[in-house]
């Protein structure tokens, strides 16, 4: 694994904030983290994924206004997508479309974690649905629809992964630090690491402190090489659930990344180049 500029001994030259007795907290800690990356001659790259898009809605309008000028990956549910979404994205040049499964329907037996694409059904059936979804998105969004799969609930059967390139899918995105940049031949993985929704509680924003903690944890792990340093730090939102505090957090995060010379958001097609 490449380490993106980090070499053993560098910590002695560039002290990482997590090693200091007074590293700061909150936004000051994030800026200190990015300063460390800058001093090491490295750039902290970010990407932004938003899930469950179906149609043009006021919530989507707010998301796109917030993301203006920032690359955004919209995970669209193909089997439920409406033409109004394609029309709205025609006015959003920085938004790319990813494939969010087929219809985002749970097929897991009672008592198991929700999943649309796990091995509870025949592989051929799941592949057929994903092929239909790929065709549906291309018909609605054209070249804006990238061959990238976002499995609903971030779960997919391992048996399905190596078959994805056969149906035109060359990228996959789930949750957590990736275990491999290429989980199968012809397939690239880039995940998300900072989910802003409190799924086990209020289903609202997890809070500024918790969100910043997740950002810092992934950045520091990348810097120190305990996770893949080449994987961008992924921010995950759900516009249909997004509240004002989450928008406020995103506004400040975007401003921080834009203003710091050692940080940037990456265009989505650059992350998932077509083979």
């Amino acid at each position: 694994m490449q380490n993106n500029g980090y070499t053993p001994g560098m910590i002695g030259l560039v002290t990482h904030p997590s090693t200091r007795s007074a590293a700061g907290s909150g936004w000051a800690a994030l800026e200190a983290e990015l300063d460390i990356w800058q001093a090491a001659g490295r750039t902290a790259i970010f990407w932004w994924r938003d899930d469950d898009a179906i149609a043009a809605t006021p919530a989507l309008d707010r998301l796109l206004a917030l993301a203006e000028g920032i690359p955004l990956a919209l995970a669209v549910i193909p089997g439920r997508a409406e033409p109004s979404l394609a029309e709205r994205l025609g006015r959003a040049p920085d938004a790319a479309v990813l494939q969010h499964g087929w219809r985002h329907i749970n097929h897991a037996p009672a008592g198991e974690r929700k999943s649309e694409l796990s091995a509870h059904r025949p592989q051929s059936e799941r592949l057929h649905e994903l092929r239909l979804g790929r065709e549906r998105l291309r018909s609605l969004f054209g070249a804006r629809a990238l061959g990238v799969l976002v499995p609903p609930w971030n779960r997919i059967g391992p048996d399905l992964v190596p078959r994805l390139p056969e149906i035109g899918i060359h990228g996959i995105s789930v949750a957590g630090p990736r275990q491999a940049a290429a989980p199968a031949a012809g397939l690239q993985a880039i995940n998300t690491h900072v989910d802003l929704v409190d799924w086990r509680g209020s289903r609202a924003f997890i809070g500024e402190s918790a969100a910043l903690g997740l950002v810092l944890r992934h950045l520091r792990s990348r810097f120190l090489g305990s996770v893949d340093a080449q994987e961008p730090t992924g921010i995950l939102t759900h516009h249909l659930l997004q509240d004002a505090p989450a928008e406020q957090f995103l506004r400040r995060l975007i401003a921080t990344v834009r203003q710091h010379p050692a940080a940037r958001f990456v265009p989505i097609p650059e992350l998932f180049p077509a083979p």
Side-chain angles (χ1 to χ4, degrees):
M1 177 189 302
Q2 296 180 345
N3 57 18
N4 199 23
Y6 169 71
T7 55
M10 181 175 288
I11 292 303
L13 300 174
V14 182
T15 304
H16 193 278
S18 63
T19 68
R20 300 175 184 169
S21 58
S25 60
W27 295 100
L30 177 57
E31 296 207 10
E33 177 72 27
L34 296 177
D35 289 344
I36 295 302
W37 283 67
Q38 183 180 13
R42 299 167 61 178
T43 299
I45 56 176
F46 294 79
W47 79 295
W48 182 358
R49 193 185 98 200
D50 184 272
D51 286 2
D52 300 340
I54 296 173
T57 63
L60 181 66
D61 285 339
R62 290 194 300 273
L63 178 80
L64 295 176
L66 185 64
E68 186 173 1
I70 297 293
L72 174 67
L74 275 180
V76 176
I77 303 173
R80 298 165 60 192
E82 299 179 8
S84 67
L85 180 59
E87 191 280 330
R88 178 62 185 87
L89 293 187
R91 306 192 303 277
D94 296 306
V97 169
L98 311 186
Q99 181 174 343
H100 203 18
W102 167 233
R103 293 187 59 82
H104 207 302
I105 293 175
N106 176 33
H107 293 282
E112 294 193 22
R113 293 188 299 175
K114 293 180 178 180
S115 178
E116 183 175 54
L117 299 174
S118 293
H120 304 112
R121 297 182 295 146
Q123 184 188 86
S124 58
E125 183 177 336
R126 289 172 284 148
L127 271 177
H128 176 65
E129 290 181 351
L130 289 178
R131 184 181 289 108
L132 291 177
R134 176 83 179 117
E135 293 170 356
R136 170 71 171 156
L137 293 183
R138 291 180 69 180
S139 69
L140 280 173
F141 303 101
R144 187 190 296 267
L146 306 183
V148 179
L149 176 66
V150 177
W153 296 285
N154 293 297
R155 300 185 185 110
I156 184 170
D159 65 316
L160 201 57
V161 173
R163 303 291 305 276
L164 296 178
E166 299 175 18
I167 58 173
I169 293 174
H170 60 270
I172 187 168
S173 180
V174 291
R178 66 188 180 190
Q179 300 302 305
L187 190 68
Q188 181 180 9
I190 300 180
N191 297 342
T192 60
H193 314 91
V194 184
D195 190 338
L196 299 189
V197 176
D198 177 13
W199 292 106
R200 296 183 179 181
S202 65
R203 294 175 67 87
F205 180 44
I206 60 173
E208 181 180 278
S209 178
L212 281 169
L214 292 173
V215 173
L216 285 166
R217 181 186 308 169
H218 191 247
L219 287 174
R220 290 171 179 172
S221 297
R222 287 173 60 192
F223 189 95
L224 296 172
S226 59
V227 300
D228 189 340
Q230 304 300 315
E231 184 179 24
T233 297
I235 311 300
L236 176 59
T237 59
H238 291 74
H239 65 278
L240 294 174
L241 296 175
Q242 192 156 287
D243 53 18
E247 291 185 4
Q248 182 178 357
F249 171 83
L250 287 166
R251 220 172 264 114
R252 187 158 182 183
L253 178 64
I254 290 168
T256 300
V257 172
R258 273 179 161 163
Q259 292 166 11
H260 202 285
R264 71 183 181 101
F265 280 94
V266 185
I268 310 306
E270 185 179 315
L271 290 176
F272 296 101

